Amino acid sequence: LHSIRCLLSDQRNRVMLASTVGARLNALLLKVVACYSLQVEGEVGLTDAMDAEAAEHAVLALYLMSNHGFDASVCSSNEHQNAFLPSKFGEGHIDAKNAVVKILTTYANNEGGTSAGKHAAKQVLLRANLLCYLGSVTDLTYPGKPYPSKSDYDIEGELLSVTKAVFVEIRREGASPSPDTFQRTVVRYDGEDIKVFVSPFAAVEEWSFRTSSIEQSEYIDDIAIANSIASCADGLTDQSYGFVWKWQDGGSDLVEQTPVSEEATNVQPLMDKIQPLVEGMARSTPYSP
C-alpha cells in the first residue's frame, strides 16, 4: 500500500492508471479502507492485517486517484470518462456513491485513523457527488481469466451488510468546480517568483498534505480553493491566498504589470492551516524515483 501511494504521488502515473485500471484499483482501495474502518471479520484476513498506517496509505491513494475520476459533466477534460468506481456493489444492493460516503465517513470518525488519512477521506467525501460511477463490478474482471475474480472487487456478504447499516446523519457537500478549474493553465506570482500550473486544481495539489503529522478542525475543500484561484485569474479579485494569479493564455507579461501588496507575501488565514501540511513531510512523504 505504501508503494502504491508513492507511485501515485507522480501525476503522470495517476493519469496512466486512471485511464487503464482506475476503477479496479479504486475498488480494491475502498475495500481495504472498509475492512479497517468497519472491522469486518473473515475478509481474507484483511482486518487483522490492517493498521492505521496501512489504512492511511489506502485512503490517500484513493484520494489521489479521485483527482482523475470526476464525471465528464463537471470535468470536460475527462474526455474518455475514466470511471472512479462501478455504479453499484453487492449485486446492485448499494450504490457505489453511498458505499463511498458510508465507508469514508466511518473512517473519518474513527479514533484510530490518522490526521492525514482523515483529511484525504474528507476530500473524497466533499467531491463524492462529482465523481464518475460507471459500469458494473463484473466489468472489472478480465474475460476468460479466473483471477482476479468479481468477489475481489465487490463489497458483498458481511462487509455489504455492515456497510449498508452505517447511518450518515449529515454530510457536507463540496463546491462545484468553475469552468476553468481543471483545464486552463494558470500562472502564480508572489512578487518575486513565477510558477506555471496546468490548471488551478493542479496548483492546489501542491498544498495537499502528504503527512500524518497534522491536525485540522475544519474542512479544506480543494475545489473551493481552485475556484478562488480561477476567480483571481479572471480578474475578479486582486489576489487569492497570498498570490497573484493570471491565465497563461492571457499573457504572462500581465503578471509582471500587476502590483503585489505587502499582504501577498504574508501567510493568509487558510495558508496557516495549509503550512503544517508541508512542514511534516519528513516521515511519510510519498516519493517517485
Side-chain angles (χ1 to χ4, degrees):
L1 288 170
H2 181 261
S3 297
I4 292 173
R5 177 183 169 189
C6 291
L7 181 70
L8 296 178
S9 66
D10 190 309
Q11 184 180 21
R12 294 168 298 180
N13 294 337
R14 298 200 301 271
V15 170
M16 183 272 292
L17 290 172
S19 63
T20 54
V21 296
R24 293 185 175 96
L25 175 60
N26 297 337
L28 293 173
L29 292 171
L30 181 65
K31 192 169 182 178
V32 167
V33 179
C35 289
Y36 170 79
S37 303
L38 303 174
Q39 295 296 300
V40 176
E41 302 295 339
E43 286 292 326
V44 199
L46 277 177
T47 300
D48 295 334
M50 293 293 293
D51 57 18
E53 185 174 357
E56 175 195 303
H57 294 321
V59 75
L60 272 164
L62 192 65
Y63 162 53
L64 291 171
M65 287 297 290
S66 74
N67 290 346
H68 306 275
F70 288 99
D71 191 85
S73 63
V74 297
C75 181
S76 58
S77 61
N78 188 6
E79 57 183 17
H80 300 296
Q81 193 56 90
N82 302 324
F84 178 64
L85 285 169
S87 59
K88 295 180 182 295
F89 287 112
E91 299 294 339
H93 285 90
I94 187 170
D95 290 339
K97 182 176 73 174
N98 289 338
V100 168
V101 169
K102 289 173 179 287
I103 291 168
L104 295 187
T105 297
T106 303
Y107 176 87
N109 294 333
N110 191 326
E111 293 183 358
T114 65
S115 296
K118 290 180 179 182
H119 174 81
K122 290 173 182 177
Q123 286 300 311
V124 179
L125 287 169
L126 286 169
R127 64 184 66 164
N129 288 347
L130 306 176
L131 299 173
C132 176
Y133 307 94
L134 188 67
S136 68
V137 175
T138 302
D139 296 334
L140 304 182
T141 61
Y142 295 91
K145 296 184 179 180
Y147 302 105
S149 67
K150 176 177 174 293
S151 62
D152 292 328
Y153 299 111
D154 207 359
I155 295 176
E156 55 188 5
E158 185 181 358
L159 185 59
L160 174 63
S161 299
V162 175
T163 300
K164 291 176 64 177
V166 173
F167 175 69
V168 179
E169 183 176 4
I170 299 176
R171 181 174 75 87
R172 175 178 175 178
E173 295 185 12
S176 296
S178 63
D180 295 316
T181 293
F182 293 110
Q183 57 190 9
R184 194 172 176 187
T185 304
V186 69
V187 180
R188 187 184 75 187
Y189 180 54
D190 65 0
E192 296 181 359
D193 300 318
I194 294 177
K195 188 169 183 177
V196 180
F197 298 91
V198 296
S199 70
F201 191 70
V204 176
E205 223 176 86
E206 184 179 88
W207 296 333
S208 294
F209 68 94
R210 295 174 171 87
T211 176
S212 61
S213 59
I214 60 170
E215 294 183 2
Q216 297 181 100
S217 60
E218 300 179 24
Y219 283 88
I220 296 177
D221 187 345
D222 287 354
I223 294 178
I225 297 173
N227 288 346
S228 176
I229 292 172
S231 293
C232 181
D234 283 335
L236 300 180
T237 58
D238 293 333
Q239 300 168 16
S240 179
Y241 302 114
F243 296 99
V244 172
W245 304 84
K246 298 291 182 181
W247 299 121
Q248 187 184 51
D249 55 23
S252 59
D253 58 318
L254 296 178
V255 176
E256 299 176 2
Q257 300 171 13
T258 304
V260 181
S261 66
E262 294 181 0
E263 287 77 10
T265 59
N266 296 330
V267 177
Q268 300 297 306
L270 183 55
M271 293 298 291
D272 287 334
K273 301 175 185 176
I274 295 173
Q275 187 61 33
L277 312 183
V278 179
E279 292 176 347
M281 292 175 68
R283 188 188 69 83
S284 62
T285 303
Y287 61 91
S288 181

